[in-house]
């Protein structure tokens, strides 16, 4: 009996070790959200809900949250996350929350709810006034030493009805850049006055790449990134050139997945920085594959994707996640991941889509990672989507019907 008890006590420890070895590292892991009723789940990658709860419940001193918006629903998994934030504040954790000015008008309830709690302060940032854009970043920092960033909004749909990818990093140096971005935005959100940018934006150089793991058999280097270019403390960590450098460095294979892709900016100007980088890669023999959500069907981005599909060595597919069996859900049932994998050894993952505004006017964060284990894992995630029944080839001679993702009332108006 005693032997059996000892064996059972060791089972959880053994499982934790195996999971860490397969899915990532103790201090760096990939995290996913999978639309229910799909086959996209990767059993060796932890789900967003579990990781968010673990991080928030483990907060001891501070919790800094910067989110595009918060959209909650009773009896949905995000309610547990909101309650965990409230419990953290109740035990003395100092919580600061920044949300986007436009989206906070659409979803004010949870922000107002949190703002009424002791130890929780909220601010609304208006990037329209600061840079001509929006706050699109999705990240939070625990105790100045651990950060989560990725495509996941604080949205109940992001936990069970949208395909998402993020990363959890526990490393003080690796977190510092994101902490400085948060502090900058926190200060700017107090007045939303562009004239205050020079006052709060302190230019500095960060150690990069940062070594997380260095041994004779394994290495992991990360470079934090952010946008827009005029509102980051170190311009060498701007998303766009770091993404282009990753693409230009690929030798055999490039895998890309985004919600949106476009070569025509919102101001109607042409934007071909990423498009040209992919074409350069294809010309030197790199096999390029893109998955873009069906959000782009019927948009100006569709023409850009059709143009790429004609380039030798480039293949493009739309991701079409089927509707939930119990009914239509607005702004859901979609691939929302944003990442690029080069040769299965390096990748960029972030909160930006592959369009100009996300780099020039919109607040976003990202990360470049060089590590074979994680690169191959993300490569496998891509292949699962690429070969899934939800992937539809893009061809230049086909007409695609726009798929509606908006509110039901908008759907009625459009019919």
């Amino acid at each position: 009996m005693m032997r059996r008890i000892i064996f059972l006590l060791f089972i959880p420890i053994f499982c934790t070790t195996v999971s860490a070895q397969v899915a990532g590292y103790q201090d760096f892991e990939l995290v996913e959200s999978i639309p229910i009723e799909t086959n996209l789940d990767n059993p060796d990658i932890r789900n967003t809900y579990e990781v968010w709860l673990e991080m928030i419940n483990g907060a001891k001193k501070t919790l800094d949250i910067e989110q595009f918006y918060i959209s909650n629903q009773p009896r949905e998994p995000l309610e547990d996350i909101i309650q965990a934030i409230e419990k953290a504040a109740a035990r003395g954790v100092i919580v600061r929350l920044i949300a986007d000015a436009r989206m906070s008008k659409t979803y004010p309830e949870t922000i107002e709810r949190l703002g009424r709690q002791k130890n929780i302060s909220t601010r609304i940032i208006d990037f329209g006034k600061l840079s001509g854009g929006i706050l699109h970043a999705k990240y939070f920092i625990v105790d100045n030493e651990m950060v989560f960033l990725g495509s996941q909004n604080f949205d109940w749909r992001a936990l069970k009805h949208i395909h998402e990818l993020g990363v959890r990093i526990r490393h003080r140096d690796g977190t510092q850049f994101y902490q400085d971005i948060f502090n900058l935005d926190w200060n700017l959100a107090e007045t939303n006055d562009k004239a205050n940018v020079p006052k709060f934006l302190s230019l500095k150089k960060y150690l990069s790449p940062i070594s997380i793991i260095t041994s004779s058999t394994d290495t992991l280097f990360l470079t934090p990134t952010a946008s827009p270019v005029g509102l980051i403390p170190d311009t060498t960590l701007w998303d766009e050139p770091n993404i282009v450098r990753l693409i230009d460095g690929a030798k055999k294979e490039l895998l890309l997945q985004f919600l949106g892709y476009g070569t025509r900016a919102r101001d109607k100007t042409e934007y071909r920085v990423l498009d040209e980088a992919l074409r350069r890669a294809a010309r030197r023999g790199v096999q390029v594959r893109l998955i873009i959500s069906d959000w782009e069907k019927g948009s100006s981005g569709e023409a850009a994707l059709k143009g790429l599909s004609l380039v030798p060595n480039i293949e493009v597919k739309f991701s079409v996640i089927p509707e939930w069996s119990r009914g239509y859900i607005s702004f859901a049932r979609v691939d929302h991941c944003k990442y690029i994998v080069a040769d299965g050894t390096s990748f960029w993952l972030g909160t930006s889509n592959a369009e100009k505004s996300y780099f020039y006017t919109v607040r976003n964060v990202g990360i470049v990672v060089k590590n074979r284990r994680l690169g191959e894992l993300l490569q496998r995630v891509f292949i699962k989507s690429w070969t899934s029944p939800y992937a539809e080839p893009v061809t230049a001679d086909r007409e695609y019907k726009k798929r509606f993702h908006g509110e039901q009332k908008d759907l009625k108006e459009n019919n």
Side-chain angles (χ1 to χ4, degrees):
M1 177 64 71
M2 181 61 69
R3 286 183 180 179
R4 183 170 182 269
I5 292 173
I6 293 173
F7 175 75
L8 290 173
L9 287 172
F10 272 91
I11 288 177
I13 300 173
F14 174 77
C15 291
T16 300
T17 303
V18 170
S19 176
Q21 289 177 343
V22 173
Y25 302 89
Q26 184 177 4
D27 295 331
F28 194 112
E29 68 171 317
L30 289 172
V31 181
E32 69 180 5
S33 295
I34 300 302
I36 57 175
E37 302 179 348
T38 70
N39 64 5
L40 296 175
D41 182 59
N42 297 277
D44 56 343
I45 300 178
R46 292 203 293 168
N47 291 327
T48 305
Y49 172 82
E50 174 188 355
V51 174
W52 281 3
L53 271 185
E54 178 184 272
M55 291 177 67
I56 295 167
N57 287 337
K60 296 179 176 61
K61 297 179 180 179
T62 61
L63 178 59
D64 291 332
I65 304 167
E66 187 159 9
Q67 289 288 326
F68 187 23
Y69 63 92
I70 302 179
S71 176
N72 192 22
Q73 290 279 2
R75 297 179 297 281
E76 291 292 342
L78 188 67
E79 174 60 23
D80 294 341
I81 306 299
I82 301 304
Q83 289 185 19
I85 295 171
E86 293 171 328
K87 290 175 183 177
R91 65 177 180 267
V93 175
I94 302 303
V95 180
R96 296 186 294 174
L97 167 67
I98 308 173
D100 178 70
R102 298 184 198 176
M103 293 299 286
S104 65
K105 295 176 182 177
T106 303
Y107 302 110
E109 298 84 4
T110 306
I111 298 171
E112 293 172 354
R113 166 184 163 182
L114 290 171
R116 290 190 293 267
Q117 307 298 317
K118 182 181 178 181
N119 292 329
I120 300 181
S121 302
T122 64
R123 288 185 180 176
I124 303 302
I125 194 163
D126 192 338
F127 272 93
K129 294 178 179 178
L130 296 169
S131 63
I134 59 173
L135 162 61
H136 189 254
K138 313 105 172 30
Y139 71 107
F140 64 92
I141 303 164
V142 176
D143 295 334
N144 300 313
E145 67 177 14
M146 183 158 49
V147 62
F148 183 96
L149 68 93
S151 63
Q152 296 95 326
N153 289 303
F154 264 30
D155 186 331
W156 65 275
R157 290 159 286 208
L159 296 178
K160 59 188 285 188
H161 289 293
I162 303 175
H163 190 200
E164 314 268 18
L165 276 173
V167 293
R168 178 192 62 86
I169 308 160
R170 184 172 62 185
H171 192 276
R172 190 169 292 276
D173 289 341
T175 300
Q176 187 60 54
F177 176 73
Y178 305 106
Q179 187 68 63
D180 290 346
I181 291 288
F182 181 92
N183 290 338
L184 168 63
D185 291 352
W186 181 259
N187 289 328
L188 291 174
E190 187 171 15
T191 62
N192 288 304
D193 186 348
K194 189 175 182 179
N196 284 331
V197 171
K199 175 182 176 181
F200 296 119
L201 178 59
S202 299
L203 299 180
K204 59 189 289 189
K205 291 292 182 181
Y206 295 81
L207 174 66
S208 119
I210 298 168
S211 173
I212 302 292
I213 297 169
T214 305
S215 72
S216 60
T217 57
D218 198 8
T219 59
L220 192 159
F221 297 97
L222 67 85
T223 299
T225 61
S227 297
V229 61
L231 284 171
I232 55 177
D234 186 346
T235 56
T236 66
L237 301 181
W238 179 28
D239 273 309
E240 187 190 71
N242 279 282
I243 289 173
V244 171
R245 192 176 301 117
L246 178 68
I247 294 172
D248 284 342
K251 295 178 173 59
K252 296 180 180 179
E253 178 188 70
L254 277 168
L255 309 174
L256 303 89
Q257 186 164 14
F258 286 95
L259 173 77
Y261 184 96
T263 56
R264 192 165 182 81
R266 294 176 185 272
D267 61 6
K268 308 302 181 183
T269 59
E270 290 292 302
Y271 174 71
R272 297 193 174 274
V273 174
L274 301 186
D275 199 77
E276 290 173 356
L278 295 179
R279 291 169 184 265
R280 285 196 302 271
R283 284 196 296 269
R284 63 178 184 269
V286 176
Q287 299 300 307
V288 181
R289 286 182 282 183
L290 294 85
I291 301 175
I292 306 297
S293 82
D294 60 358
W295 207 285
E296 289 293 2
K297 284 186 175 182
S299 74
S300 60
E302 181 185 310
L305 294 171
K306 285 181 174 180
L308 278 178
S309 73
L310 295 172
V311 178
N313 295 325
I314 296 183
E315 297 177 85
V316 186
K317 290 186 178 182
F318 281 127
S319 168
V320 184
I321 304 297
E323 300 294 352
W324 188 32
S325 63
R326 295 177 61 181
Y328 174 80
I329 303 174
S330 62
F331 306 115
R333 310 305 294 178
V334 70
D335 247 309
H336 195 241
C337 307
K338 307 154 196 314
Y339 66 93
I340 304 170
V341 190
D343 298 327
T345 60
S346 302
F347 64 89
W348 170 90
L349 183 149
T351 67
S352 298
N353 288 307
E355 301 173 56
K356 181 180 179 180
S357 64
Y358 291 92
F359 307 117
Y360 287 83
T361 63
V362 175
R363 168 64 80 213
N364 282 290
V365 294
I367 191 166
V368 175
V369 176
K370 185 175 182 180
N371 175 264
R372 181 170 293 278
R373 181 192 295 179
L374 291 168
E376 290 179 348
L377 178 58
L378 197 47
Q379 187 181 50
R380 177 158 54 84
V381 171
F382 180 92
I383 295 302
K384 175 167 278 193
S385 290
W386 183 262
T387 58
S388 75
Y390 323 118
E392 176 183 350
V394 174
T395 56
D397 59 352
R398 181 176 171 184
E399 293 296 321
Y400 294 92
K401 183 180 179 181
K402 187 175 182 65
R403 182 180 175 188
F404 185 79
H405 282 286
E407 297 283 3
Q408 283 281 19
K409 61 182 179 63
D410 301 323
L411 179 62
K412 293 175 183 177
E413 290 170 0
N414 286 324
N415 286 343

